[in-house]
Each structure stands twice: as C-alpha cells, then as structure tokens.
Amino acid sequence: MEHDLSILRDDSLEAIRVARSEAELERVETDLLGRNGKFAAAMKRLSALSRDERPRIGKLIQEVRRTIDQALADRKRTFGTHRHTFDPTLPGERPVRGHVHPITTYSRRIIEVWRSFGYDVHEGPELEEDWYNFEALNFPKDHPTRDMHDTFFIKGRPDLVLRTHTSTVQARSVFHRKPPLKFVEIGRVYRHEATDAKHESTFTQCDGIAIDRHMTMAHLVGTLHVFFKRMFGDDVKIRTRPSYFPFVEPGIEMDLQWTINGKTEWLEMLGAGMIHPNVMKSLKLDPKKWNGFAFGMGFDRLVMLSYGITDIRMLYNGNLDFLKQF
Ligand code: FA5
C-alpha cells in the first residue's frame, strides 16, 4: 500500500506539472480528487486494511493529499500569473479591422464631385424645427400638402420633428448668407411609412441648391445630367417628369435607367425644380432679383445603382456578411 501511495503521489505531481492549460489542470484535478478519482479509490482500500495498519496508512494518505493539494494550488497560480503578466516579446492580438459603410464611402465620393462643380457642403440637424422642415418650404400648418411627408414627432415638443428631407438645408443655410450661392447637404432623413425594396423609414438624401440671377430649368437639368455622367459614365440615361413639391415651381422628378436581374427599368432618383417665390420670401430674398433651383435625391438609390444592390433595407440592417463585400 505504501508503494502504491508513493506511485500515486509521483504520478499526480507529474500530471500536474505537465498540464498545459487551466482546463487541462482541471481535468487532472477531477481525475485525482473527484468522487470516482484515484484518491477516493485509495480511501476505499483503507477500509479493507487491518485496524493496526489503518492509522499509519491513513496518515500517509493525508500527507500525499496535502502534497497534491499544494502542487495543484501552485500550478493554478502560475496560470493565473501568466494571464496577468504583460510579456512585450509576445506578438500582439490584432484588432478586428472594419471599414466604412458603403453609404459613407459613397458620400465622400459624391462630395468630391459637387466640390469640383464649385458647390459648398453644409450640414443640418436631424432633429429639426418644424419651421425649417415644413413652414419655410411652403408647407403651411394644417395644409394637405403636409400629407406628402408623414414623420416622427417628439412628445411634448410640437415644434420639433425628425426631418423628412434634407431640403431643410435650403432655409437653414440660405437664411444667413448672401447670394449667389451653391451648396449640397448629405444626411439622414426619416419618414413614417411602409418599407419595401426601394423605401426605408430611415434613409439618406442629398439636397442641393443654387441661387443666382436668371437661373433656368436648363441649368438644373444640365447640372444634374453632368453629375450623373460623372457618377455613372457618359452614356447614363436620364428622364424627367413633371411633378409637384410645394417649395418649387415648376417641379420635376428625374429617373435613371438601370438594369437589374436582366431587366432594364427606370428608378426614381430625385425631386427638383425652380425655387418657389414664397420660399424666396421666407428666406428674405427678393424673388424679382434672385432665383434658383433645388433638388433632393435619394442617396441610397445611388448607392444601390452603383453596386447593384436590389434591396435598400440591406444598407441599414447591420448584416456584416453583406457589408463585408464592400
Ligand atoms: C423630397 O424629399 C424633396 N425634398 C425633394 C426636392 C428637393 C424636390 C428640392 C424639389 C426641390 P421625395 O419625397 O420625392 O422628395 O424624395 C426625394 C427622393 O428621395 C426620391 O426621389 C427617392 O429617390 C428618395 N426617397 C423618397 N422616399 C424614400 C424612402 N422611403 N426610402 C428611400 N428613398 C426614398
């Protein structure tokens, strides 16, 4: 029995010494000290010994047990210490590297194009005053034209809305500046409406405005056509349709041709028009002296067209498998 105990002790110490991880050490501990472990087996054998032998062997077993407990505790500590020690010679853990979202990549590209046309870039708040979002743009309070943009409201603050378009920049940026001026704004907008492959309730728009003397629809359509040529190449196909927006007169919509899943179709890209004289007056500009054009395009749709994305909702659902492709 003494011989068996000394073998058990030596084997145990060796197993503890060579354990290479905390998990492995735990397995060794269970194997030695668990309910069906080697120790329990030794204790069982103790009961089979004669009364005379029992105290001496019992003492030996306790000694072996203490030795093993101590060795386990020491080995555990070395793992613990290793974990908390900074070893400057070990290679570092590489942080996971991400990249910017396709909407961000694209807005940087678009901004470059508008800058090359001499346009400034402005920003406005997403939580906007009702006045800038609606009233200044000729959407009077309680007027049916407000039905065009259902939005999200703020409890207890009837003067604030989540902006429904980036056209807010027209009033915000023109108000404190003197024409002639040209600028664009890219940003998030919100609408309380059903979503589908081409509509989201949170999406991105790019608005632009140019105010000068003697501006015409030809300037507007020409500017947008050159812009789309720069984005998609000289043979890009555009078409315009008459449309209504309370803040322009006349108003148009512009579509771009795209081929998706083998089918060629028109995709509505933007609303635009000549700035309404009522808006000029809200901006404290004399409509007899100054005029201009404004446009507001669905930015996500540009991104969709460029990358051949068939569902706008992919751009906002945070699915990494999708985003990693860009
Ligand atoms: C407007 O938002 C006007 N502010 C545009 C404008 C600006 C007109 C300046 C005249 C002068 P509209 O609601 O049509 O218009 O939206 C403009 C573009 O945003 C659309 O052509 C479309 O490309 C995109 N868009 C509109 N609603 C959604 C939506 N729910 N999800 C994704 N894109 C949308």
Side-chain angles (χ1 to χ4, degrees):
M1 184 79 191
E2 285 108 307
H3 180 63
D4 288 351
L5 278 175
S6 79
I7 287 177
L8 175 61
R9 188 194 57 215
D10 293 346
D11 285 355
S12 303
L13 292 179
E14 180 62 8
I16 292 166
R17 191 181 67 78
V18 300
R20 271 167 309 166
S21 67
E22 250 175 329
E24 206 177 308
L25 189 63
E26 255 166 43
R27 277 196 297 277
V28 171
E29 185 170 5
T30 314
D31 186 37
L32 296 174
L33 309 179
R35 196 147 26 119
N36 299 318
K38 292 186 172 135
F39 237 90
M43 292 300 275
K44 261 192 212 138
R45 292 213 325 262
L46 184 66
S47 55
L49 295 175
S50 70
R51 273 172 162 252
D52 298 341
E53 275 185 298
R54 254 187 245 162
R56 193 172 54 82
I57 301 292
K59 225 169 127 196
L60 265 179
I61 290 179
Q62 289 316 323
E63 266 174 30
V64 172
R65 167 81 199 226
R66 265 198 299 278
T67 313
I68 290 175
D69 279 347
Q70 187 62 47
L72 276 170
D74 291 347
R75 191 78 182 109
K76 267 185 202 163
R77 218 172 305 121
T78 61
F79 284 125
T81 326
H82 269 294
R83 234 195 351 242
H84 295 115
T85 304
F86 174 65
D87 181 349
T89 63
L90 287 175
E93 277 176 33
R94 264 171 209 271
V96 181
R97 227 168 137 190
H99 60 79
V100 291
H101 193 277
I103 290 184
T104 311
T105 315
Y106 221 76
S107 47
R108 289 178 185 165
R109 214 177 124 197
I110 252 194
I111 282 173
E112 263 174 41
V113 176
W114 284 112
R115 283 223 165 101
S116 75
F117 293 174
Y119 281 65
D120 284 339
V121 181
H122 290 186
E123 278 186 357
E126 290 173 25
L127 183 57
E128 182 56 283
E129 290 173 35
D130 181 283
W131 192 82
Y132 285 110
N133 198 83
F134 292 121
E135 214 122 329
L137 296 173
N138 207 21
F139 290 83
K141 274 210 163 65
D142 302 320
H143 192 279
T145 196
R146 287 217 181 191
D147 292 349
M148 290 169 74
H149 292 195
D150 192 7
T151 184
F152 299 95
F153 298 89
I154 310 299
K155 236 186 200 161
R157 288 296 303 267
D159 55 323
L160 295 178
V161 296
L162 283 184
R163 68 177 176 189
T164 56
H165 50 175
T166 40
S167 303
T168 49
V169 76
Q170 296 187 19
R172 276 207 167 266
S173 294
V174 174
F175 214 47
H176 305 290
R177 290 180 174 81
K178 286 205 171 10
L181 25 93
K182 301 189 275 192
F183 51 78
V184 290
E185 169 176 5
I186 298 175
R188 268 196 181 185
V189 299
Y190 304 85
R191 289 198 198 168
H192 182 229
E193 60 182 33
T195 66
D196 60 28
K198 290 178 190 148
H199 295 86
E200 250 297 6
S201 49
T202 297
F203 58 105
T204 311
Q205 281 191 336
C206 170
D207 256 69
I209 185 169
I211 298 181
D212 208 325
R213 297 176 199 270
H214 316 302
M215 302 285 274
T216 67
M217 284 293 273
H219 291 123
L220 168 63
V221 176
T223 305
L224 288 170
H225 197 183
V226 173
F227 169 75
F228 286 125
K229 279 185 180 173
R230 285 283 292 276
M231 299 304 296
F232 299 111
D234 279 352
D235 49 358
V236 68
K237 294 232 167 18
I238 58 164
R239 77 171 182 193
T240 56
R241 294 173 283 109
S243 187
Y244 169 73
F245 300 95
F247 39 98
V248 289
E249 179 56 36
I252 57 163
E253 276 178 336
M254 188 175 278
D255 305 333
L256 248 73
Q257 204 173 62
W258 75 330
T259 303
I260 194 82
N261 299 332
K263 250 178 62 196
T264 300
E265 53 182 56
W266 292 101
L267 180 64
E268 180 201 312
M269 285 307 301
L270 59 91
M274 304 306 291
I275 300 169
H276 197 290
N278 286 353
V279 175
M280 285 298 198
K281 283 182 205 151
S282 336
L283 304 180
K284 309 264 183 270
L285 292 176
D286 180 356
K288 291 204 185 78
K289 255 170 116 179
W290 299 103
N291 78 336
F293 63 72
F295 57 84
M297 61 181 84
F299 189 80
D300 319 271
R301 294 194 184 173
L302 269 187
V303 179
M304 289 166 74
L305 253 158
S306 287
Y307 293 119
I309 297 166
T310 48
D311 194 322
I312 186 173
R313 291 166 293 193
M314 306 287 279
L315 288 170
Y316 292 96
N317 68 5
N319 179 344
L320 285 183
D321 287 339
F322 166 75
L323 291 173
K324 274 181 191 157
Q325 301 174 76
F326 302 97

